[in-house]
Amino acid sequence: MCDEAFSKTFMEHFLHPKNVGSMKNADGVGVCGDPGCGDALTLYIKVKDDVIDDISFLVYGCAAAIATSSMTTELIKGKTLDEASKLTDEDIAEGLGGLPLHKMHCSNLGAQALKNAINDYYTRKSK
């Protein structure tokens, strides 16, 4: 991997990802994968008073999949469920200082896994 194409923020999240790990008793779990490249993300959320109080992830994939997953958690922690549900691929890429065009699909993992985790939370809550 040539780090010249990636920002310092990207490299920090790739080399030292934040909020890594599974979560016991998560309130919501979201999974997303990209069969085209083999990346897979599982995102866990804890919700308190409609705010994402804690968030963590497990990811299998390239440097961009790791960095975008880490950035997703940093952007969302402490946000309301409504605010979190509006996170876009572009927000994640922007948070990392941009992504090369051929890696933009990785930012979709975080946004989609988050939406899936929020939906899972609401499904569990309604039961």
Side-chain angles (χ1 to χ4, degrees):
M1 179 181 84
C2 177
D3 63 1
E4 293 174 22
F6 299 105
S7 72
K8 287 182 181 181
T9 302
F10 176 97
M11 292 304 295
E12 176 64 24
H13 280 272
F14 164 56
L15 295 173
H16 307 285
K18 316 297 187 256
N19 307 302
V20 176
S22 61
M23 181 184 293
K24 288 186 178 185
N25 302 314
D27 295 322
V29 179
V31 178
C32 184
D34 183 348
C37 68
D39 295 340
L41 170 63
T42 302
L43 198 66
Y44 306 88
I45 59 173
K46 281 273 194 189
V47 179
K48 184 176 182 180
D49 300 323
D50 283 337
V51 172
I52 296 181
D53 188 53
D54 198 9
I55 184 168
S56 66
F57 73 95
L58 293 174
V59 66
Y60 177 83
C62 65
I66 295 166
T68 58
S69 299
S70 175
M71 179 53 72
T72 299
T73 66
E74 290 289 281
L75 291 171
I76 293 309
K77 198 174 209 176
K79 301 286 187 198
T80 66
L81 292 169
D82 185 54
E83 291 168 328
S85 69
K86 295 174 182 166
L87 184 75
T88 67
D89 310 357
E90 292 80 15
D91 295 331
I92 297 165
E94 185 179 305
L96 289 169
L99 286 173
L101 189 57
H102 71 283
K103 290 295 182 181
M104 276 301 293
H105 69 279
C106 294
S107 62
N108 183 53
L109 291 174
Q112 188 59 56
L114 177 62
K115 286 172 181 49
N116 293 346
I118 292 169
N119 287 338
D120 183 51
Y121 166 75
Y122 284 126
T123 299
R124 291 177 188 212
K125 187 177 173 184
S126 69
K127 290 183 180 180

